[in-house]
Amino acid sequence: MYGDEATIRRILTELGDTWAVVGLSSNRNRAAYGVAQVLQRFGKRVVPVHPKAETVHGEQGYASLADIPFEVDVVDVFVNSELAGAVAEEAVSKGAKAVWFQLDVVDEAAWERTRAAGVDMVMDRCPAVEIPRLS
């Protein structure tokens, strides 16, 4: 289990409401699209991060985390496990307070590095499943 209940609650309720969602595009058939909608319903600002830099759910998209001209609180990662570690490192460099790897996104080395950097992390979980449970 990569993320205890206290960490999940802290990320979802205390660390801030600006979530960069890496892998979010306008493709309604992708999980990121629906998860971003749920996050918005619970008051989160969702910032799309995708090479196409599309506007999604009314928010301007960016090609990378580095391109976002403001602080982000949480980086939610919807990329393959092989690519996720680099995204976690970029999130730490950007100053994110937390990194969240979606279901089936697992990189144990990234988990160790991110937590060692003092950044909260959850891995192989979905915030759209977790956040309604907190209400």
Side-chain angles (χ1 to χ4, degrees), residues 77-131:
V77 182
F78 279 92
V79 300
N80 293 333
S81 296
E82 299 80 40
L83 304 172
V87 176
E89 288 176 16
E90 195 176 351
V92 170
S93 295
K94 176 108 178 115
K97 299 172 190 159
V99 175
W100 192 300
F101 282 10
Q102 282 296 141
L103 292 170
D104 298 323
V105 179
V106 175
D107 182 331
E108 293 184 9
W111 165 266
E112 295 297 331
R113 287 191 311 270
T114 301
R115 291 176 46 90
V119 176
D120 279 338
M121 186 165 179
V122 171
M123 186 163 66
D124 194 25
R125 302 286 286 267
C126 180
V129 171
E130 302 297 334
I131 200 167

Side-chain angles (χ1 to χ4, degrees), residues 20-73:
V21 181
V22 178
L24 175 58
S25 71
S26 61
N27 184 343
R28 295 172 183 264
N29 296 321
R30 304 291 301 194
Y33 191 89
V35 169
Q37 280 183 312
V38 171
L39 289 170
Q40 280 187 324
R41 271 200 307 271
F42 281 87
K44 306 301 181 190
R45 178 183 183 191
V46 173
V47 181
V49 179
H50 189 279
K52 294 180 183 177
E54 300 172 297
T55 296
V56 183
H57 299 311
E59 286 285 345
Q60 167 65 49
Y62 298 91
S64 71
L65 288 173
D67 291 341
I68 300 173
F70 48 84
E71 291 184 10
V72 297
D73 301 309

